[in-house]
Amino acid sequence: MNLFDLAGNGGGAAAAPGTVCSRKACRAAAEWQLLWNNPKIHTPERRKIWLACGEHRAWLEDYLQTRGLWKETAALGTVPLDPSGRIG
Ligand SMILES: [Zn+2]
């Protein structure tokens, strides 16, 4: 349970653009950034970044780890954001 759920999804005022959780349909403010790399399509030093709220951090980590893509999870703000690194 988190406070943003209680506020509803109408305004989207809870989080600034670019800092919203990457989980589909989630509008919560992100607290974590998940760094990942797909060796089939990215160079080894490339890092894609997904954002995760506290509720979805484990879900997104598991998604990436299952596919062998996960590299690191860091607190939001510690790594520069890649605006394209989101779930489509
Ligand atoms: Zn979320």
Side-chain angles (χ1 to χ4, degrees), residues 18 26-27 35 77 79 86:
C26 181
R27 294 287 178 269
L35 280 60
V79 178
R86 305 195 52 175

Side-chain angles (χ1 to χ4, degrees), residues 17-18 22 46-51 80-87:
S22 296
R46 180 85 184 274
R47 288 292 178 273
K48 300 290 288 181
I49 298 176
W50 282 353
L51 302 178
L81 294 178
D82 174 355
S84 68
R86 305 195 52 175
I87 295 178

Side-chain angles (χ1 to χ4, degrees), residues 18-20 29-33 49-52 73-79 81:
T19 60
V20 178
E31 300 171 27
W32 303 97
Q33 45 193 359
I49 298 176
W50 282 353
L51 302 178
T73 298
L76 187 67
T78 57
V79 178
L81 294 178

Side-chain angles (χ1 to χ4, degrees), residues 30-41:
E31 300 171 27
W32 303 97
Q33 45 193 359
L34 279 59
L35 280 60
W36 62 277
N37 172 281
N38 185 343
K40 291 179 183 169
I41 58 176

Side-chain angles (χ1 to χ4, degrees), residues 21-23 26-28 52-53 55-56:
C21 176
S22 296
R23 180 79 171 95
C26 181
R27 294 287 178 269
C53 67
E55 190 174 338
H56 291 128

